[in-house]
Amino acid sequence: MDIIHLLPDSVANQIAAGEVIQRPASCLKELVENSLDAGAKHIHVIVYDAGRTLLQVTDDGCGMSETDARMAFERHATSKIAQAQDLFALRTMGFRGEALASICAVAQVEVQTRRAEDDYGTLLDIQGSQVMRQEPCSCPVGTNFKVKNLFYNVPVRRKFLKTDKTELRNLLTDFYRIVLVYPDVQFTFVSDDEVMLDLHPGTYKQRIEQVFGRSGSNPFTSRMVDLRTETELVSIHGFVGKPEAASRNPQQYFFVNGRFMRHPYFHKAVMNAYSGMLPGELMPSYFIYFDIHPDLIDVNIHPTKTEIKFADEQAVFQILMAAVRESLGKFNVSPSLDFNREGEIEMPVGMTPADTAPQVRVNPAYNPFKTRPMDATPQGWQSLYAAPDAAPDAATLTRESRIGRLTETDLTEEQPGTLALDIDSLEGRALYRYAGRYILVPTDEGLLLVNQRRAHLCVLYALYRDLLTHAGQAPAQQLLFPELLSLTADEMTLMQSLLPGLEAVGFVLEQIGRTEYSITAVPSLLTDGSAVSTLRAILGEVSRTGSLPQDEWERRIALSMARETAMPYGKNLSDDEMRDLLTRLLRLPAWQYTPDGQRVTYLLTLEQLNQYFQ
Ligand code: ADP
Ligand code: MG
């Protein structure tokens, strides 16, 4: 006797429901997402007994026709995708077509729905996947879902539900994840006749305020700073908490293309950006919204759709970390730094004041970082600074070479937090060197400590970025004995596309065999014999992840070049050199962290200092 048979739909749906509808909160999420997909601008939620007895969602979306209303409850019935490739261009919250089928398998569902073009709406009554009743009704345009007695026919599930209090918290948690992405939609949430949330349309900031702003005296968002960055790969905006507002139960949210997601890896990027800034065990709040081409993410890896895969997670990680650092940096130091008034400072024993020379104009012929033998062409970092023919003034040059491309508004001078300090006033100011590693700058607000190698790295990075974007020509140095670079076949293809960039930063390469290049000239900042290893480092940096947007390539080339050419620790800088380096550093839009996220400066405030002496 054959023993295999197909399960009846009602049973199959109940099994599927186990995955999609685990608790009232998941049911609420599916219903509200459907309302949003239907274009609703007003969504009202009513629950009784934390959704056990009733969970109602009313919207003013597009509604459904009589037939569609019936179809909607079939498994794999959806209006949102038609073919597999649509999965890679998702702009709707739903697409799997299993939510309604699942809900009606485990509850008693009543729906009233009407489209604008219909005179009458449809009423549909379904229990345990069985249609009990369908008839015309009069109702407003939109859809009204009532889900009653959830899990009435699955006692096990019902038993596993937590207390009402916990389930209500779950409902709200899931609800927050939605309302925070749709600030333009009005939402209400009523639980056992009590209005829990009444959210009016507004900005993202206002929405966060409406949801979390009730506790404490300060508005929630006053403890946050803006975050915004735009690259070809991804746009990121949102808010991150000031370090001093960190708490034990922070609000942490990631959204991508309007959908909440968990992303432990990106969470790490954010936490890295805060490293060293957080007191003890405390954590920052953040609300971070990603916009990315749907092609580059995969939301279809889990039925509840909170796990999302990005095509190039490493690049996004870097971009995110740098963006958060930059936001924190702007807030943390820049606005309060004032170089016009000098702090009172006694000259510390064993330190030389740097301003012994009265006139401190940079001498372009002077090359402190030359590591080549004296007979080599005397070109060093000073000459490289002034390198591109057009010699763009450092301010415009570096402003554009921030990580990622910034929006127009970000580039204007008024941007809050971009440096409001008068750079010329560094002239004649006492600077101190310490341990061959640090430059100390007394300011009114405290002692600014600068890591000199990292400062140099930032400056060089900006310079290389600029050379790359404007296809400039950096000073190159002919090699007496060309070095040989042999590549594998796949490195060869990569190399072809890298060549223009490499030439821009100062390499001259000639192909001499099928897979070999002769390096005849190198950027003048490179030390002898490091040509091959530098090129290898660049190749490695670029090839680690698949195809990259141009922007990201340039970023990586510039970064490996900067790493190779930045001055080593232990370099004793002259006063002019320190001043010059600082001037260039402080002109950069982001100078508190290196592009790969390491701290460049630290402001030891007077307050902190005084504390040491209490
Ligand atoms: P999915 O959202 O994945 O398409 P669902 O089972 O959640 O699957 O919904 C099935 C279909 O029912 C949707 O594709 C949509 O066409 C329709 N629908 C569901 N809820 C609503 C609503 N509130 N307003 C209009 N149409 C809806
Ligand atoms: Mg849906």
Side-chain angles (χ1 to χ4, degrees):
M1 192 183 76
D2 301 330
I3 50 169
I4 299 180
H5 56 91
L6 287 175
L7 289 175
D9 274 359
S10 56
V11 179
N13 285 344
Q14 236 190 63
I15 294 170
E19 263 199 83
V20 188
I21 308 296
Q22 287 126 348
R23 46 178 13 97
S26 25
C27 181
L28 175 73
K29 169 177 181 284
E30 293 296 339
L31 293 179
V32 176
E33 286 187 351
N34 279 347
S35 297
L36 289 164
D37 284 344
K41 287 294 162 209
H42 299 84
I43 298 175
H44 304 293
V45 177
I46 296 174
V47 301
Y48 281 100
D49 306 320
R52 260 179 252 256
T53 319
L54 176 74
L55 212 158
Q56 177 176 353
V57 177
T58 312
D59 70 50
D60 61 349
C62 64
M64 287 177 270
S65 74
E66 199 185 316
T67 327
D68 281 352
R70 182 89 174 233
M71 264 304 277
F73 291 92
E74 296 291 328
R75 199 132 68 93
H76 308 306
T78 179
S79 55
K80 296 163 195 174
I81 60 171
Q83 42 197 351
Q85 73 217 48
D86 295 347
L87 276 175
F88 302 100
L90 284 175
R91 286 289 180 193
T92 53
M93 307 282 273
F95 59 87
R96 301 171 69 103
E98 33 183 43
L100 294 188
S102 301
I103 293 170
C104 79
V106 293
Q108 297 158 345
V109 178
E110 185 190 305
V111 56
Q112 287 183 311
T113 183
R114 179 162 81 86
R115 301 181 301 176
E117 63 261 46
D118 297 333
D119 294 333
Y120 285 96
T122 300
L123 182 148
L124 198 65
D125 202 342
I126 304 183
Q127 300 196 5
S129 297
Q130 303 297 312
V131 178
M132 312 304 275
R133 172 164 75 122
Q134 176 163 23
E135 60 198 34
C137 70
S138 74
C139 61
V141 172
T143 305
N144 181 3
F145 262 101
K146 287 184 197 159
V147 176
K148 298 178 213 163
N149 304 318
L150 189 61
F151 301 133
Y152 78 105
N153 53 353
V154 202
V156 202
R157 281 264 146 170
R158 219 174 156 83
K159 227 171 53 209
F160 273 102
L161 290 182
K162 304 272 167 37
T163 60
D164 272 11
K165 223 168 130 196
T166 309
E167 292 302 338
L168 182 62
R169 206 169 52 233
N170 287 331
L171 281 171
L172 284 169
T173 304
D174 274 17
F175 196 59
Y176 290 166
R177 293 174 181 176
I178 298 174
V179 302
L180 289 171
V181 215
Y182 288 87
D184 55 329
V185 175
Q186 188 189 350
F187 292 95
T188 58
F189 187 103
V190 180
S191 163
D192 295 334
D193 299 321
E194 188 197 339
V195 180
M196 311 280 296
L197 286 168
D198 183 8
L199 307 172
H200 295 274
T203 61
Y204 283 102
K205 198 170 194 161
Q206 287 164 336
R207 180 53 52 93
I208 294 172
E209 203 77 70
Q210 287 169 357
V211 176
F212 298 110
R214 290 155 185 242
S215 55
S217 52
N218 295 341
F220 188 78
T221 47
S222 72
R223 285 175 271 146
M224 314 213 91
V225 282
D226 282 17
L227 173 75
R228 182 173 293 276
T229 192
E230 252 160 85
T231 68
E232 269 159 44
L233 181 63
V234 63
S235 303
I236 302 174
H237 72 99
F239 308 91
V240 290
K242 296 178 185 172
E244 77 257 23
S247 71
R248 260 174 229 292
N249 54 345
Q251 302 293 339
Q252 302 183 325
Y253 291 88
F254 282 129
F255 304 98
V256 57
N257 296 351
R259 194 190 291 280
F260 171 81
M261 68 167 174
R262 285 174 210 286
H263 213 298
Y265 184 58
F266 292 167
H267 172 76
K268 203 159 159 263
V270 176
M271 295 317 290
N272 280 1
Y274 277 91
S275 73
M277 295 187 199
L278 296 174
E281 306 281 85
L282 307 185
M283 301 268 270
S285 291
Y286 58 77
F287 301 85
I288 298 176
Y289 302 81
F290 297 85
D291 277 302
I292 189 162
H293 192 281
D295 236 9
L296 298 175
I297 55 172
D298 183 1
V299 289
N300 195 23
I301 51 181
H302 192 267
T304 54
K305 292 171 279 193
T306 58
E307 253 102 281
I308 292 176
K309 185 116 194 56
F310 282 59
D312 191 350
E313 306 209 313
Q314 285 183 20
V316 177
F317 181 99
Q318 295 293 338
I319 294 168
L320 174 63
M321 184 168 76
V324 174
R325 286 229 146 123
E326 198 180 312
S327 294
L328 293 175
K330 279 179 188 172
F331 143 77
N332 191 23
V333 179
S334 326
S336 58
L337 263 195
D338 184 356
F339 280 90
N340 287 318
R341 295 166 296 146
E342 184 171 351
E344 294 289 307
I345 188 165
E346 297 290 317
M347 191 186 306
V349 181
M351 284 181 161
T352 19
D355 59 345
T356 42
Q359 79 282 48
V360 286
R361 285 285 162 213
V362 171
N363 170 7
Y366 190 76
N367 175 16
F369 298 109
K370 197 175 60 184
T371 46
R372 294 171 182 289
M374 286 312 288
D375 54 352
T377 330
Q379 279 171 321
W381 71 307
Q382 297 284 13
S383 56
L384 184 58
Y385 280 157
D389 293 343
D393 108 73
T396 49
L397 177 158
T398 52
R399 217 180 301 133
E400 284 157 14
S401 41
R402 245 205 266 205
I403 303 156
R405 259 181 309 106
L406 296 164
T407 53
E408 272 306 306
T409 46
D410 282 334
L411 296 177
T412 59
E413 299 289 341
E414 301 79 52
Q415 176 71 15
T418 18
L419 278 188
L421 72 110
D422 180 2
I423 290 156
D424 291 337
S425 63
L426 266 179
E427 303 228 345
R429 169 174 300 269
L431 302 173
Y432 305 85
R433 59 183 149 265
Y434 184 64
R437 270 174 176 252
Y438 301 106
I439 303 174
L440 316 186
V441 192
T443 80
D444 244 18
E445 317 303 330
L447 195 55
L448 185 67
L449 312 176
V450 182
N451 178 311
Q452 65 187 40
R453 173 177 154 84
R454 291 182 188 171
H456 193 207
L457 188 140
C458 287
V459 170
L460 290 174
Y461 172 81
L463 187 91
Y464 292 128
R465 274 306 292 260
D466 191 65
L467 287 168
L468 286 164
T469 8
H470 299 110
Q473 182 64 63
Q477 165 159 4
Q478 290 294 327
L479 290 181
L480 216 51
F481 304 104
E483 290 181 37
L484 189 71
L485 178 70
S486 331
L487 301 172
T488 61
D490 57 328
E491 284 172 337
M492 261 323 266
T493 30
L494 198 55
M495 196 62 181
Q496 309 280 350
S497 34
L498 280 177
L499 272 178
L502 293 176
E503 275 164 21
V505 294
F507 282 100
V508 179
L509 297 164
E510 278 166 29
Q511 192 172 349
I512 51 169
R514 213 168 42 81
T515 57
E516 272 162 5
Y517 281 95
S518 149
I519 310 168
T520 58
V522 297
S524 44
L525 279 175
L526 275 191
T527 49
D528 274 338
S530 63
V532 170
S533 65
T534 305
L535 285 173
R536 289 241 161 249
I538 295 175
L539 277 170
E541 185 74 32
V542 177
S543 68
R544 243 188 297 124
T545 39
S547 68
L548 291 172
Q550 179 65 21
D551 203 45
E552 196 42 41
W553 280 54
E554 290 176 359
R555 215 180 76 77
R556 293 185 187 195
I557 296 180
L559 188 59
S560 9
M561 283 294 296
R563 280 195 195 122
E564 295 292 329
T565 50
M567 66 169 91
Y569 284 121
K571 192 110 223 163
N572 249 328
L573 300 183
S574 77
D575 302 341
D576 287 1
E577 291 154 13
M578 284 196 286
R579 197 172 313 273
D580 191 49
L581 177 60
L582 277 180
T583 308
R584 291 175 197 279
L585 176 74
L586 298 178
R587 277 195 191 140
L588 300 178
W591 45 266
Q592 294 169 41
Y593 293 94
T594 60
D596 50 346
Q598 291 180 300
R599 193 180 264 287
V600 179
T601 61
Y602 184 81
L603 184 73
L604 185 63
T605 65
L606 195 55
E607 231 170 71
Q608 290 170 316
L609 212 55
N610 288 339
Q611 263 170 17
Y612 288 134
F613 294 94
Q614 264 166 15

